[in-house]
Amino acid sequence: MAIDTTRILNEIDKHTKRARNGDAAKTRDSVVAIRALCDLLLEDEQSLNDIPAPRAVPRSSLQSQTVTAVNKLKEDDANGDSLFEF
């Protein structure tokens, strides 16, 4: 799920205004938030470029597995070979 770029840029603007009007601690917090938002923008842009195209799996690489019953459990009150027969 990608976040709209405009929304992130609006958040950066909001934190820029707070950084200019706040004291040193608030300025630092706002700058950290701006950095995180910029990283989010760059990461989102990079992930769009890095999405691999789906590729087909060759049929020969698929292995079929067979299950063989070696020892059947025999009980006196069982009705048959089905798993659903009790």
Side-chain angles (χ1 to χ4, degrees):
M1 179 174 103
I3 300 172
D4 186 32
T5 303
T6 307
R7 183 172 178 192
I8 295 174
L9 292 173
N10 288 338
E11 287 294 316
I12 291 172
D13 287 339
K14 182 172 70 174
H15 285 288
T16 303
K17 289 176 188 173
R18 284 185 188 168
R20 288 186 179 139
N21 296 330
D23 60 351
K26 287 184 181 180
T27 299
R28 180 172 172 72
D29 291 342
S30 292
V31 170
V32 169
I34 291 169
R35 178 191 291 174
L37 290 167
C38 289
D39 288 342
L40 181 66
L41 269 177
L42 293 173
E43 181 180 295
D44 190 38
E45 182 179 299
Q46 182 181 20
S47 68
L48 290 176
N49 295 333
D50 291 344
I51 295 175
R55 57 176 201 227
V57 177
R59 190 169 255 262
S60 63
S61 68
L62 298 175
Q63 297 177 353
S64 63
Q65 295 179 346
T66 57
V67 177
T68 57
V70 177
N71 294 327
K72 288 186 180 180
L73 178 64
K74 298 202 182 222
E75 293 187 19
D76 295 332
D77 58 346
N79 292 335
D81 290 339
S82 174
L83 292 173
F84 299 108
E85 295 178 7
F86 297 98

